[in-house]
Amino acid sequence: MPEPRASVPPLHGNTPPAYCPIRSPLLRWLLLLGAVASLCMGIVGIFVPGLPTTVFILIAGACAARSSERLHGWLWRHRLFGGMLRNWAAGGFVSRRAKWSATATMAVCALIMLAVPAPVWAKALSIGCMACVLAWLWCRPEPASDEAQARNPKK
């Protein structure tokens, strides 16, 4: 039996939500620094197994929305990162592709944890945390476009 998916479509517009800057210049600079650092970590996460990309991009988008209209607009319109931000803004949607990617990455990391000489409690804690994150991730709704693709796959 297929799992129910959300019927609300993801935001497809390239226009980001309204920019709401923080009034304090110091806090705005700190948020901008957080946005850039999170963006860098997200980019590194594309290449390093075990380092999440989506979470860091969402953090970068949230920080940029309050600190830099230019960076927020760039992230929102980005070919790779924009879809993540738009789906999350539309209702916390996570694509099936992102779910499978996270599952595969965490499975590899769990195998590595089991193979390295580490304390048993560290192995159990890290694998347990990954299992909890995966359970939460797979409970997130998928965007309507994923549902349409599942029903009408390309030939």
Side-chain angles (χ1 to χ4, degrees), residues 12-152:
H12 290 291
N14 271 347
T15 304
Y19 172 62
C20 303
I22 297 287
R23 290 183 185 222
S24 166
L26 175 63
L27 188 54
R28 197 171 329 129
W29 277 103
L30 289 173
L31 283 170
L32 180 59
L33 180 65
V36 171
S38 295
L39 177 60
C40 291
M41 291 298 288
I43 291 169
V44 169
I46 294 171
F47 305 103
V48 176
L51 190 63
T53 299
T54 303
V55 173
F56 285 116
I57 298 305
L58 293 176
I59 292 170
C63 290
R66 303 301 304 264
S67 63
S68 171
E69 185 174 17
R70 183 176 173 186
L71 178 59
H72 186 242
W74 180 82
L75 284 169
W76 191 265
R77 292 178 192 91
H78 194 273
R79 183 178 62 88
L80 296 174
F81 308 138
M84 293 180 221
L85 294 173
R86 289 188 297 272
N87 284 336
W88 191 259
F93 299 123
V94 179
S95 71
R96 182 163 293 187
R97 180 179 180 185
K99 290 177 183 181
W100 278 114
S101 176
T103 301
T105 301
M106 288 189 208
V108 168
C109 290
L111 292 173
I112 291 170
M113 279 301 296
L114 291 172
V116 299
V120 175
W121 66 266
K123 292 178 181 187
L125 181 64
S126 63
I127 292 172
C129 286
M130 286 188 273
C132 290
V133 169
L134 282 177
W136 173 83
L137 185 64
W138 279 95
C139 288
R140 301 299 312 158
E142 295 176 4
S145 61
D146 280 4
E147 184 178 339
Q149 287 175 359
R151 276 190 259 140
N152 300 317

